[in-house]
Amino acid sequence: MMIRRGMMIALLVAVAGCSPDHIASKITGRECSAGYIQEGEDWCAPPERPPAPQPYCTQSWNGVDCWARPDLMPNVAREVAEGPTGLTQDQNAQRLNMSVKKAPPTNAYYP
């Protein structure tokens, strides 16, 4: 009788800590909350996307011109910005809370 009562209490405590939001979050790997439904969105948050590529800025006669898609530019000039233009694979994996091997590339334009 005591064992049965102890098992019922342990089961009740274990199940009480698992809400549907928590279970769905573990299954999908995204943050799920009923609060999103109240805001008129989907139950789970959309998957996090990589940040937009940094603009490609070049020197011109009028100062500096910046381009969103340097791959579409003819005769690409030297960029005036110095330093990295995107996240490294390690930074992107940490941002997405994934392993480095599973993390997608940070942007379409590799530095």
Side-chain angles (χ1 to χ4, degrees):
M1 190 70 161
M2 289 297 277
I3 295 173
R4 177 184 269 173
R5 190 173 293 162
M7 287 180 60
M8 289 298 288
I9 290 173
L11 182 65
L12 183 64
V13 168
V15 172
C18 296
S19 68
D21 293 342
H22 182 71
I23 294 170
S25 294
K26 289 291 185 184
I27 292 172
T28 62
R30 299 184 295 174
E31 182 183 353
C32 298
S33 174
Y36 290 127
I37 297 173
Q38 291 176 348
E39 294 174 1
E41 298 176 8
D42 194 21
W43 186 29
C44 294
E48 194 169 347
R49 294 189 173 94
Q54 295 293 317
Y56 188 87
C57 298
T58 59
Q59 188 70 39
S60 69
W61 291 104
N62 296 331
V64 176
D65 293 329
C66 294
W67 313 90
R69 296 286 308 270
D71 57 332
L72 300 177
M73 289 174 35
N75 304 326
V76 178
R78 185 177 63 82
E79 187 172 16
V80 293
E82 294 180 9
T85 58
L87 299 176
T88 64
Q89 284 297 104
D90 293 332
Q91 290 171 331
N92 197 36
Q94 184 177 6
R95 179 182 69 86
L96 295 173
N97 197 20
M98 301 173 79
S99 69
V100 176
K101 293 180 180 178
K102 291 184 177 181
T106 56
N107 57 28
Y109 314 111
Y110 293 106

